[in-house]
Amino acid sequence: MKLVLFDCDGTLVDSAALIHETMRRTFAQFGKPEPTVEATKSIIGLTLDIAIASMQGKPHADDEAVEMMAYYKSLFATVRADLDYREPLFEGIREVIDTIGPREDLLLGAVTGKSRRGLNSVLDTHDFRKWFIVSRTADDCPSKPHPAMVSECCDETGMRPEDTLVIGDAIYDMQMAKAAGATAIGVAWGYASIAELKAAGADVIVNHPRELLSHIG
């Protein structure tokens, strides 16, 4: 039996355009310089207030970052409603989830910097909720790379970290997995480079979702 924990943004769905547009509008509202796409991609995976502070070079989330986070959250659904900013699955992800979801020797879950509402929206939109039996979000745990998301999923399912795979596209996913004692699988189709994922501790890098099947076993 294995526990397979997926990151969401940059791993299951391509949400960079949606996140960046919402971030761009948020920074404009607060009179901040418009962030670059690269800057936005670099913080995807972090809890939102920490991400916003980091984009401004702040060492931690201050009151302004919390205020900006609240504004970002108020905009997100509006921006998502625009057909130009949907969160599509990466090519090949559906086939992987539909293959491993029904297996009795695997438990699937999600560990994400999204809110609970945001994760549920993705799972419901793509009909994945039936397979994902455990999850932790930014509403539940400290921000990645803290290991709590993985550790709590292990505790809830009764699985050991050494029998757990964490699949993600960000350095924070790799660092979180290693801190929890789980196997870190980096995906090359997301927002961090292969070199960054390796430096962050990835045990293996996959270039296409179908390659996950051989590593999951």
Side-chain angles (χ1 to χ4, degrees):
M1 181 73 73
K2 292 180 182 177
L3 175 60
V4 184
L5 299 174
F6 287 88
D7 169 53
C8 187
D9 297 318
T11 301
L12 295 176
V13 296
D14 186 359
S15 49
L18 171 60
I19 293 172
H20 179 66
E21 177 60 15
T22 312
M23 198 69 78
R24 187 191 68 77
R25 297 186 192 186
T26 298
F27 272 56
Q29 174 67 22
F30 284 79
K32 306 290 184 180
E34 182 173 318
T36 65
V37 173
E38 291 72 22
T40 300
K41 286 183 175 180
S42 74
I43 53 78
I44 293 176
L46 293 174
T47 300
L48 193 53
D49 55 344
I50 295 174
I52 289 171
S54 176
M55 291 175 74
Q56 299 178 75
K58 298 177 180 178
H60 56 79
D62 56 11
D63 290 343
E64 183 182 51
V66 172
E67 187 178 354
M68 291 176 72
M69 175 180 69
Y71 185 78
Y72 178 105
K73 287 183 174 181
S74 74
L75 281 183
F76 197 75
T78 300
V79 179
R80 183 195 282 136
D82 184 336
L83 291 180
D84 288 336
Y85 296 107
R86 289 176 290 182
E87 295 176 281
L89 294 173
F90 284 101
E91 181 183 357
I93 287 294
R94 177 167 299 283
E95 291 77 8
V96 169
I97 300 301
D98 286 348
T99 297
I100 65 177
R103 286 177 48 178
E104 295 184 356
D105 61 331
L106 299 176
L107 302 176
L108 270 59
V111 284
T112 175
K114 276 186 174 301
S115 66
R116 173 65 56 184
R117 179 181 177 183
L119 174 62
N120 286 345
S121 175
V122 168
L123 297 181
D124 289 340
T125 296
H126 299 292
D127 194 27
F128 283 171
R129 197 194 282 250
K130 60 189 175 185
W131 303 131
F132 284 72
I133 68 165
V134 66
S135 61
R136 289 295 186 275
T137 72
D139 295 333
D140 310 311
C141 294
S143 178
K144 300 174 183 179
H146 193 285
M149 290 186 184
V150 176
S151 299
E152 290 188 13
C153 285
C154 288
D155 291 343
E156 183 174 329
T157 57
M159 297 295 294
R160 301 180 303 173
E162 53 263 41
D163 296 320
T164 300
L165 309 177
V166 176
I167 300 170
D169 73 298
I171 61 173
Y172 317 112
D173 299 312
M174 304 299 99
Q175 293 167 342
M176 174 180 66
K178 302 312 291 184
T183 298
I185 299 180
V187 304
W189 56 84
Y191 309 138
S193 69
I194 291 176
E196 289 171 329
L197 292 172
K198 288 182 177 178
D203 293 298
V204 65
I205 306 289
V206 295
N207 294 294
H208 189 278
R210 62 175 172 267
E211 296 176 27
L212 290 171
L213 298 177
S214 63
H215 294 289
I216 291 172

